[in-house]
Amino acid sequence: MAKKITHNIKLNIPAGKGTPAPPVGPALGQAGINMMEFLKKFNEQTAPQMGFVMPVEITVFEDRSYAFKIKQPLTTELIKRAAGIGKGAANAKMDKAGVLTSDQLREVAKLKMADLNTEDEEMAMRIVAGAARSMGVRVEG
């Protein structure tokens, strides 16, 4: 028989730098998870992606055991890295923060494909292009 799920927690934690500080600590403590054990496992698994913010989904079961799934880095982080910018535009309609070529857009879409709700590369590129536009990053090509 399957274990009963008591909590589903979604967090965005910097890769390799997870700490028990808020929002991680309170969310895990409320669910009854051994915080340091989780953070040690998370930091070990995400160390190669240092510099990215990683979305993680934690499923907590009735007996306080848990399972977690680390997704690909945030789309905005991948776009910023590809465009070579520090942050998006304050006013995306008026200001432009950077430029993303179609090749760079394809690379980001391929990385995020596992987390998107499509298997079509062109559709994934359109999703990523929409995120880029909302950040004030112009897509060329």
Side-chain angles (χ1 to χ4, degrees):
M1 190 166 127
K3 296 180 183 179
K4 185 178 178 197
I5 297 172
T6 58
H7 293 86
N8 281 320
I9 304 168
K10 294 181 181 181
L11 297 170
N12 294 328
I13 308 172
K17 295 183 181 176
T19 63
V24 178
L28 299 180
Q30 227 173 12
I33 293 177
N34 181 341
M35 196 176 322
M36 296 315 290
E37 176 187 319
F38 166 78
L39 289 171
K40 183 179 177 191
K41 288 179 185 176
F42 175 82
N43 288 337
E44 285 174 2
Q45 289 182 20
T46 59
Q49 287 118 345
M50 196 74 91
F52 285 112
V53 175
M54 306 297 288
V56 61
E57 289 182 359
I58 308 163
T59 305
V60 184
F61 302 105
E62 199 171 35
D63 62 356
R64 292 192 180 185
S65 62
Y66 62 90
F68 66 95
K69 180 181 181 204
I70 300 169
K71 296 189 168 203
Q72 294 297 318
L74 296 174
T75 306
T76 54
E77 296 286 323
L78 292 171
I79 292 169
K80 288 191 295 187
R81 177 90 37 105
I85 58 175
K87 63 179 186 173
N91 183 352
K93 288 185 178 181
M94 303 298 281
D95 304 329
K96 292 300 168 208
V99 178
L100 205 61
T101 66
S102 59
D103 290 338
Q104 291 171 321
L105 184 68
R106 188 175 304 279
E107 285 294 316
V108 173
K110 283 181 181 178
L111 277 171
K112 284 300 288 184
M113 189 81 82
D115 295 339
L116 299 175
N117 59 351
T118 183
E119 294 296 319
D120 181 26
E121 190 174 296
E122 291 299 315
M123 184 54 77
M125 287 175 64
R126 290 176 60 189
I127 293 169
V128 173
R133 278 191 300 276
S134 73
M135 296 171 60
V137 175
R138 193 173 78 236
V139 178
E140 290 184 345

